Amino acid sequence: MNALPENWHPEFHEDSKTELSVIVPLYNEHEVIALMHERLTAVLVDLGIPYELVLVDDGSRDGTPHAMSQLAEADPTVTAVFLSRNFGKEAALTAGLEHAAGDAVIIMDADLQDPPELIPEMLQAWKGGADVVCMRRRSRAGETWFKRFSAHHFYRLLNAISDVDIPPDTGDFRLLSRKAVYALKQLNERNRYMKGLFAWIGLPTTVIEYDRMPRAAGLTKWNYLGLLNLAFQGITSFSTAPLRLAMVGGLLTALFGILFTLWIVVKALVLGDPVQGYPSLISMITILGGAQLLSIGLLGEYIGKTYYEAKQRPVYLVREVVRRGKPVEQTASDSAPSPAGKKWYATF
């Protein structure tokens, strides 16, 4: 890693065109934000191109907003976007894409598990014609075997039941061309699974493998319940296979019920066995009741998504944007309405 001079300040020209934007969503990442900025800046300065860092605070409750404000005041290449509350990582990524101005846009996490030193290789692939550069995790250091196992099989399950080919073992660490960013801005859905949306646009994609590192500092903000919810969000956002599976399950259960009924009738008429009442009745009621509740729950999940989409609420609200060391009332990307006909920005 290149060391930066003690009194170093990046050169920034107001009229220079931004060639590269790096989006970093943050949620309670106070321990790592300074190190992240140092390593990112060391890499970006060596590129010799106009760049910007778009830091998005997703309603952090620690010292992250204060640290972001300090960085935005000291470094004119930093744009700090503060959301009004915690909307979730998918919304924070959407906010970052709305506020990024670069010809190429890179998304990465703040914990430095995705090494910023790979950025030159990503830019090389972009200049070679790729609109999307996915970073595929060859190994995942610092993670439990269960998380590696579940993530490995989830991506393959999602690919098997989805109509969209989502590259397996890829996270949010990727590069998007301006064309890809524009395409993503046309997608107005509120229930957003960004990994699926990145694949849905279908532009030329290059995959680069890398070894994921342990967190540089702090603790992960994801628990297994949150990951399970994200996985279910991905499945229900890009596939109706669960509904078809529930229908198939209903048909098989009905078929089993018919065959079982015929067996009871035949046994009673031919063999003279008395009809067993209570145990068989309770078993059938339990099986059918469980299948019905499962099917209703799946149907309710999809109806609930439709309900939230019908409300047309914005994906996020912005409390404040600090650019070039000064708060701004409204950014350039907010001056025109989004495809949904609403502005993303709100002042409080």
Side-chain angles (χ1 to χ4, degrees), residues 45-331:
V45 167
D46 283 347
L47 295 175
I49 60 175
Y51 70 88
E52 67 172 352
L53 301 180
V54 181
L55 308 182
V56 183
D57 173 54
D58 187 25
S60 297
R61 298 181 179 181
D62 63 353
T64 300
H66 178 67
M68 284 176 53
S69 297
Q70 289 184 322
L71 286 177
E73 292 174 1
D75 185 349
T77 65
V78 171
T79 296
V81 181
F82 301 90
L83 303 189
S84 62
R85 63 171 178 84
N86 178 238
F87 288 91
K89 186 178 180 182
E90 313 301 288
L93 290 178
T94 303
L97 292 172
E98 288 284 342
H99 289 83
D103 295 329
V105 176
I106 289 178
I107 300 171
M108 63 175 290
D109 292 336
D111 54 21
L112 297 176
Q113 287 187 282
D114 305 322
E117 289 77 15
L118 296 173
I119 289 178
E121 187 176 355
M122 299 168 73
L123 286 173
Q124 185 177 3
W126 167 60
K127 292 178 179 178
D131 284 301
V132 180
V133 181
C134 293
M135 305 301 289
R136 175 178 291 162
R137 295 169 288 211
R138 187 167 45 217
S139 63
R140 302 168 66 122
E143 297 182 356
T144 64
W145 70 268
F146 180 75
K147 186 174 181 181
R148 294 195 300 269
F149 174 83
S150 57
H152 175 84
H153 290 283
F154 164 71
Y155 284 118
R156 281 146 187 84
L157 171 64
L158 183 58
N159 259 335
I161 64 177
S162 174
D163 296 331
V164 179
D165 185 17
I166 301 174
D169 303 320
T170 58
D172 295 316
F173 187 33
R174 67 188 63 218
L175 179 146
L176 304 168
S177 69
R178 175 49 51 183
K179 183 191 296 185
V181 172
Y182 178 77
L184 285 167
K185 287 183 178 182
Q186 310 311 303
L187 308 181
N188 308 321
E189 58 210 72
R190 272 64 182 165
N191 294 280
R192 303 177 73 82
Y193 181 69
M194 297 303 293
K195 299 176 187 65
L197 296 182
F198 293 145
W200 187 90
I201 59 178
L203 293 173
T205 301
T206 296
V207 177
I208 299 175
E209 293 190 346
Y210 76 107
D211 297 308
R212 203 171 196 220
M213 309 302 293
R215 284 184 63 95
L219 299 174
T220 180
K221 310 307 179 294
W222 288 98
N223 53 35
Y224 285 114
L225 184 60
L227 291 172
L228 182 63
N229 180 65
L230 182 64
F232 196 65
Q233 173 87 340
I235 291 173
T236 53
S237 294
F238 285 89
S239 175
T240 56
L243 291 177
R244 298 192 188 106
L245 185 62
M247 182 177 65
V248 171
L251 290 175
L252 292 177
T253 303
L255 179 61
F256 173 77
I258 293 172
L259 294 176
F260 186 67
T261 302
L262 291 175
W263 165 247
I264 291 176
V265 171
V266 170
K267 188 171 67 169
L269 296 177
V270 177
L271 302 179
D273 289 345
V275 177
Q276 300 296 325
Y278 184 77
S280 58
L281 180 62
I282 292 300
S283 299
M284 291 300 296
I285 290 175
T286 302
I287 293 173
L288 291 174
Q292 289 173 345
L293 290 175
L294 177 61
S295 301
I296 292 172
L298 286 173
L299 183 61
E301 178 69 21
Y302 284 93
I303 293 176
K305 286 181 177 292
T306 306
Y307 170 69
Y308 281 115
E309 294 293 334
K311 287 187 174 184
Q312 291 291 295
R313 290 174 178 168
V315 178
Y316 63 88
L317 292 176
V318 174
R319 172 172 57 84
E320 183 183 21
V321 176
V322 178
R323 175 170 290 154
R324 297 163 195 163
K326 299 178 181 179
V328 295
E329 289 297 324
Q330 190 176 34
T331 66

